[in-house]
Every structure is written in structure tokens, then in C-alpha cells.
Amino acid sequence: MRHLRNPVVILFAVGLAYIAALIAVDARRHVFDALPMLAMALPYVVVFSLVAYVLRYLRWHYFLNQQGFQVPFAGGAVAYIAGFAFTASPGKAGELLRVRYYAAWGVPAPTVIACFVLERFLDLLVLLAISVPAFAEASGFAVAVGFVGAVGAAVASAIRWRRSGRNIVAVMRRLGLRRASQLVRIVLLGVEQISAFANIRNLSVGLMLGAAAWLAQCYGFSLALGKLGIDVGAVLLVSIPAAAMLLGAASMIPGGVGTTEAATVVLLTGYGAETANSVLGSIALRLGSIWFGVGIGFAAVAYLESRRRARNVAPPCKEAALPRQINSGAI
């Protein structure tokens, strides 16, 4: 039974269960039945999604460099892509799988968390800006603004009231929740670390690269929608996918399952598109945003794990991924 405690076995067991759940949900909703009809549209989504991932990784690599970590560009890219394996999770928190792989270059868990949280928040700001035209004559803008504002307020509060976070960790320890308290303090350290590098220059670079990435991905979706015979104007074709993804994120349902697609259909039909074509468009968005990311993410995980096994490198112990502040009891 010892092999059942192996982190690699656990990782792939969870991954298989996760993929099986996604397949079951989407099969029930007949997502895969539409693949033949989307054959001419999906290549646009895939190509521009790859462009978007490259731009997003450039931002991630820049954030790490600004914190003093020199990570190999190619190796870091594979580790970054591996995070997409669990991208269909609430708040995309599953992407923190990157902690496992960046530890090999001495990047502590709180640093990965800091980059992740800032990346997510900047993405929400960019999606909100791109989605404005889609919400001009449709409801949902208040929900989108409220969600982005709530995320920003939560991050700012965690940074500002650090002592409250330390008190929460102390209470959890007294209650005997040692593992949970360790996880919470790592997250708190990560959020605190944002303030150390989130200056005007870094935020500007992050926003520009994020805007370029999401505009590229939304443009790919707009080309796919055009191939499906949907014509609601070039600006709306770019804006509607952003609005749908933002509303899907606001639902906090893993991967925005159901809500992203429903928002896509409602927005497209609201601007005059036919319902049947709008449903196909929503499926193209689903396949291009979630399934494509999950696919290349698991390919990256398989590659990284095979290299670890070939080199007979044991996974870093928990303490190896923690900064000196944790071991010294700063929190």
C-alpha cells in the first residue's frame, strides 16, 4: 500500500478522476457531438489560444524575474503550462500545481501563489475592459463589476490586515489544525508578497501583456464565431467571449461549466444571432478555453513527471518549497 502514498500516483489518480468528471458533464451536455460541425472553426481558437498562452507566460516569467528568480525560459514554460491541467477549478486554483515544479528552481510556494493571485486579478480587469461593449445593451455588467471589485477588495484586505491573518493561523494551531494552518500561512505569505513587487511598472507590464493575451484569445473566438455564420459586428464578436468567461468566473462553478456557455448563448442571441449557431459558438468557447488548456496541461504534467522519474529525482519535501520566513515562524 506504500505506493498509494506516492505523490505522483495520487496526482494522476486525482487527474484521471477530474478528467472523467469533466467528460461525464460535457458528454451529458452533448459538447463532443458538435465536434464535426466545429471542424472549420476550432483551428482559429487553438492557434490564437496558443498565442495567448505564450503572452501570459511572458508575463509570468517577468513577474518571477522581478522577484529575483532566474528560471530557465523553456523549462519554466512547460511548468507554467502544466498548471492548465487543473484550470477547470474554482478560481482556477488548481493551476497552483505549478508549485510542485517551480520548487526545482528554488521558487518557494508563496512566490508562485503571489504570481498566481496577481495574474488572476489582472486577467479579471482585462476581461472586464474587453467585455464593456457586450454589456452595453445587455444585463450582467453589475455582476461582473461586483465580482472583480470583490476579488480586488479581498486581495487588498489580505495585504493590509496581515496581523488578522496571523491571528487566524494562531487560532487554527490552537484548535489542532496544523496542516490547515500551514496551508493558510503559505497562502497569506503569498498574498503579502504581492505588495513587494506590484509597483506601477510591473502592474503596467502585467496589464499590457494580459490585454494582448486575452485580446488574441477573444479574437480567435471571434473568427470561430464568424465561421459559424454569426455576424453581430467585429467588436461584439471579440467582446462577447470575454463577457461570457467573466460571468463564468463570477459563478465560481469549476470551469464556469454551464454558466459560461449560457452567457455566450444569451449574449449572442440578444444581439440577433440564431440560437443554433449561438449554441455551437458556446461549445467552441468551451472546447477552446477549457478542454484545450486541460489537454496541453496534462501533456506537460506527463512530460515533467517522466523526466523526474528518469532522473530518479524525489519530489521536494514540503519544507523545501517554503521560504525562510515560514521556517523561522514569522507567521
Side-chain angles (χ1 to χ4, degrees):
M1 299 293 290
R2 289 182 61 187
H3 67 281
L4 294 179
R5 298 182 181 180
N6 188 310
V8 178
V9 174
I10 295 173
L11 174 64
F12 278 96
V14 171
L16 289 174
Y18 166 80
I19 289 293
L22 285 180
I23 291 174
V25 170
D26 281 347
R28 185 175 299 177
R29 295 168 55 246
H30 306 289
V31 168
F32 304 112
D33 295 347
L35 275 172
M37 291 176 283
L38 294 172
M40 295 296 293
L42 283 177
Y44 294 98
V45 178
V46 170
V47 170
F48 283 94
S49 290
L50 284 173
V51 173
Y53 292 154
V54 170
L55 291 167
R56 288 170 62 184
Y57 173 63
L58 288 175
R59 178 180 58 183
W60 179 274
H61 194 73
Y62 174 81
F63 284 164
L64 288 177
N65 281 342
Q66 291 303 302
Q67 296 175 84
F69 295 98
Q70 302 299 319
V71 175
F73 189 83
V78 178
Y80 179 77
I81 292 171
F84 294 137
F86 292 94
T87 191
S89 53
K92 297 183 180 291
E95 292 185 15
L96 288 174
L97 173 68
R98 294 169 186 143
V99 168
R100 171 178 175 82
Y101 302 115
Y102 276 98
W105 296 296
V107 182
T111 299
V112 176
I113 292 172
C115 293
F116 170 79
V117 172
L118 185 58
E119 179 187 51
R120 289 279 71 77
F121 181 60
L122 293 180
D123 283 347
L124 291 177
L125 288 177
V126 168
L127 286 173
L128 182 62
I130 298 174
S131 67
V132 168
F135 287 126
E137 298 179 10
S139 59
F141 188 61
V143 174
V145 172
F147 173 65
V148 176
V151 172
V155 174
S157 298
I159 294 173
R160 182 173 179 82
W161 287 291
R162 304 174 187 178
R163 183 171 298 177
S164 299
R166 296 187 180 99
N167 291 338
I168 291 173
V169 171
V171 170
M172 293 178 71
R173 284 175 175 167
R174 286 197 291 270
L175 293 175
L177 304 174
R178 293 189 176 276
R179 289 183 178 274
S181 67
Q182 184 183 42
L183 177 61
V184 170
R185 68 176 179 176
I186 293 172
V187 173
L188 289 173
L189 278 172
V191 174
E192 286 183 24
Q193 196 167 326
I194 294 174
S195 60
F197 74 99
N199 53 46
I200 297 298
R201 185 185 69 177
N202 292 341
L203 289 176
S204 298
V205 171
L207 280 171
M208 286 189 293
L209 288 172
W214 285 106
L215 281 171
Q217 191 155 12
C218 289
Y219 180 68
F221 289 136
S222 74
L223 293 177
L225 294 175
K227 282 292 181 180
L228 295 172
I230 298 174
D231 184 12
V232 294
V235 173
L236 285 174
L237 283 178
V238 172
S239 182
I240 286 174
M245 287 187 283
L246 188 57
L247 292 174
S251 71
M252 292 305 292
I253 296 174
V257 175
T259 53
T260 301
E261 292 87 335
T264 304
V265 173
V266 169
L267 288 168
L268 286 172
T269 55
Y271 284 105
E274 294 183 5
T275 301
N277 290 342
S278 298
V279 171
L280 283 176
S282 71
I283 294 174
L285 182 62
R286 172 75 174 165
L287 292 171
S289 61
I290 297 298
W291 277 108
F292 179 62
V294 169
I296 63 172
F298 268 103
V301 169
Y303 171 76
L304 290 171
E305 292 299 335
S306 66
R307 284 180 61 87
R308 291 168 70 98
R309 186 172 183 179
R311 294 178 179 178
N312 197 26
V313 177
C317 65
K318 294 180 180 179
E319 293 297 321
L322 307 184
R324 286 192 296 266
Q325 297 98 307
I326 295 178
N327 295 326
S328 62
I331 287 186

